[in-house]
Amino acid sequence: MATTRRSLPLLRTLIAGKTQTRTVTYMPRPGDGAPRPVTLIPGDGIGPLVTNAVEQVMEAMHAPVYFEKYDVHGDMKRVPQEVLDSIKKNKVCLKGGLRTPMGGGVSSLNMQLRKELDLYASLVNCCNLPGLPTRHENVDIVVIRENTEGEYSGLEHEVVPGVVESLKVITKFCSERIAKYAFEYAYLNNRKKVTAVHKANIMKLADGLFLESCREVATKYPSIKYNEIIVDNCCMQLVSKPEQFDVMVTPNLYGNLVANTAAGIAGGTGVMPGGNVGAEYAVFEQGASAGNVGKEKIVEQKTANPVALLLSSAMMLRHLQFPSFADRLESAVKRVILEGQYRTKDLGGQSSTQEVVDAVIAKLD
């Protein structure tokens, strides 16, 4: 009875919400606050608009980063050497979309960057944002895609006139390291399940090797559930019951399709962050590629959605070990979306890029 009486004041305090909350923080190492250089590639189409949005927000929050800006466009034959040197020096890059010409034998600069810097893992986080209505709720999918081989190996040739051969390359080395990255990501982020996406029922050797590698890695993470799904069934399941998925690991082409599908389900490509990472370097950009260069009308009217790249830059700040700045930026963006007053046309609003940027800056703590 005495114990009960002593507990009553504490209970009343808890109910009244008067208990003090301790701020959770981290202890930086000496020098962690030094400003970090980041290579910036505005790119084509809407790229300059949305990268400028990031620059404004970073300046407003006094983030400890500064940008080394380079003019790169998708119709160039190669990524300029000075740009590669800058990324290799800084280790981190933020980029807008680079337009890839259709056909004509022009190599994709996006692919050149991934191969030159060995950015073997592409990560896209597709999740519902509070205040943004979508057909499905409780969607929180992370698509981790192998970024350097598969159908994107770039090995194509004309055998005889009218017959073209395109090679799909799958290696044990690349399959194992992307599987390890996916399981490590799940482990470090308290994710419960990893799903491998494949077409091994048809491509028995290539996708079979990918699955074999995933299964071997899965045995080293007994606390994480592992399952497999054929890519066509995966697409059907994504549009009917996307909440069943957690972390998805895929070969190159499937990952591109799955990530854009998941992004569309969760709110659109304009709000999904992402990045490409390797052992040494990281390049952050809009997560889902569909429409990330944009229509000319959007560029002329300056109504491109900056949310995806702002959230990607928050991922970049965490990568640089500036978590409080990342939290402030992410919270401000989510507040603007939740309130719904400032939204670009793709989210059902009429706001310009600058109006969204100003709203985000106003919400920074």
Side-chain angles (χ1 to χ4, degrees):
M1 181 67 78
T3 304
T4 305
R5 281 197 297 271
R6 286 196 298 270
S7 299
L8 283 173
L10 176 62
L11 184 60
R12 290 194 191 100
T13 305
L14 286 168
I15 292 170
K18 294 178 181 177
T19 52
Q20 291 183 339
T21 56
R22 189 183 297 273
T23 301
V24 178
T25 185
Y26 85 111
M27 187 170 70
R29 296 164 298 186
D32 272 1
R36 293 282 301 274
V38 172
T39 305
L40 179 65
I41 301 174
D44 298 314
I46 68 168
L49 269 175
V50 293
T51 53
N52 178 255
V54 172
E55 288 184 276
Q56 290 184 59
V57 174
M58 291 289 182
E59 184 177 349
M61 68 193 303
H62 304 293
V65 298
Y66 61 93
F67 294 108
E68 296 178 359
K69 192 183 296 188
Y70 290 91
D71 200 25
V72 181
H73 298 285
D75 57 2
M76 293 179 172
K77 290 187 176 180
R78 290 202 56 80
V79 178
Q81 188 58 45
E82 62 177 348
V83 178
L84 293 172
D85 292 341
S86 174
I87 299 173
K88 289 177 180 179
K89 173 177 66 75
N90 298 334
K91 310 292 186 185
V92 176
C93 173
L94 183 72
K95 67 180 281 290
L98 290 172
R99 186 178 281 111
T100 300
M102 299 292 180
V106 179
S107 176
S108 164
L109 295 195
N110 293 308
M111 284 303 302
Q112 284 184 31
L113 272 175
R114 293 167 194 167
K115 289 188 176 182
E116 183 72 29
L117 302 172
D118 197 24
L119 303 170
Y120 67 85
S122 165
L123 185 148
V124 182
N125 187 5
C126 304
C127 60
N128 291 129
L129 294 173
L132 190 62
T134 57
R135 188 166 294 179
H136 297 278
E137 296 180 354
N138 303 315
V139 177
D140 188 4
I141 302 169
V142 174
V143 181
I144 294 175
R145 157 193 173 198
E146 204 292 317
N147 226 4
T148 60
E149 57 175 20
E151 293 87 350
Y152 288 22
S153 299
L155 300 174
E156 294 185 310
H157 63 277
E158 190 173 41
V159 183
V160 294
V163 179
V164 172
E165 190 172 59
S166 179
L167 302 180
K168 170 177 176 172
V169 177
I170 297 286
T171 65
K172 179 81 168 175
F173 173 77
C174 289
S175 298
E176 271 190 355
R177 69 177 181 174
I178 196 64
K180 285 177 182 175
Y181 185 83
F183 277 94
E184 190 175 65
Y185 176 91
Y187 171 68
L188 292 174
N189 289 277
N190 195 31
R191 296 280 184 157
K192 308 303 180 187
K193 182 171 71 172
V194 172
T195 301
V197 182
H198 67 95
K199 191 66 177 172
N201 57 325
I202 302 299
M203 284 169 273
K204 299 181 186 297
L205 291 178
D207 285 19
L209 179 59
F210 176 78
L211 277 188
E212 179 188 312
S213 302
C214 290
R215 290 168 185 167
E216 288 176 8
V217 173
T219 61
K220 299 172 184 175
Y221 293 85
S223 63
I224 298 170
K225 184 180 177 183
Y226 170 71
N227 66 346
E228 300 165 358
I229 188 167
I230 296 173
V231 64
D232 39 0
N233 183 33
C234 173
C235 293
M236 189 273 287
Q237 294 290 333
L238 268 174
V239 298
S240 59
K241 195 178 177 184
E243 62 275 6
Q244 68 183 287
F245 295 107
D246 192 352
V247 175
M248 306 175 79
V249 60
T250 77
N252 207 333
L253 177 62
Y254 309 155
N256 197 1
L257 306 176
V258 167
N260 280 278
T261 303
I265 289 164
T269 58
V271 295
M272 299 303 150
N276 307 278
V277 68
E280 295 186 69
Y281 314 110
V283 175
F284 294 88
E285 59 187 334
Q286 183 170 326
S289 61
N292 74 343
V293 174
K295 299 175 183 176
E296 292 302 321
K297 189 176 179 181
I298 295 174
V299 178
E300 290 170 9
Q301 296 177 345
K302 298 184 178 180
T303 55
N305 190 345
V307 168
L309 201 65
L310 287 170
L311 293 176
S312 296
S313 63
M315 288 174 60
M316 180 189 77
L317 288 169
R318 287 201 182 90
H319 180 80
L320 291 170
Q321 298 190 7
F322 298 133
S324 64
F325 287 93
D327 291 344
R328 286 174 61 201
L329 174 52
E330 209 168 69
S331 296
V333 171
K334 288 180 178 179
R335 281 183 208 165
V336 170
I337 291 175
L338 179 62
E339 291 180 4
Q341 186 176 355
Y342 297 99
R343 290 181 181 174
T344 48
K345 194 171 182 178
D346 60 311
L347 300 183
Q350 296 296 325
S351 301
S352 67
T353 305
Q354 190 59 51
E355 286 171 336
V356 175
V357 171
D358 292 340
V360 169
I361 290 172
K363 294 295 181 185
L364 289 170
D365 287 333

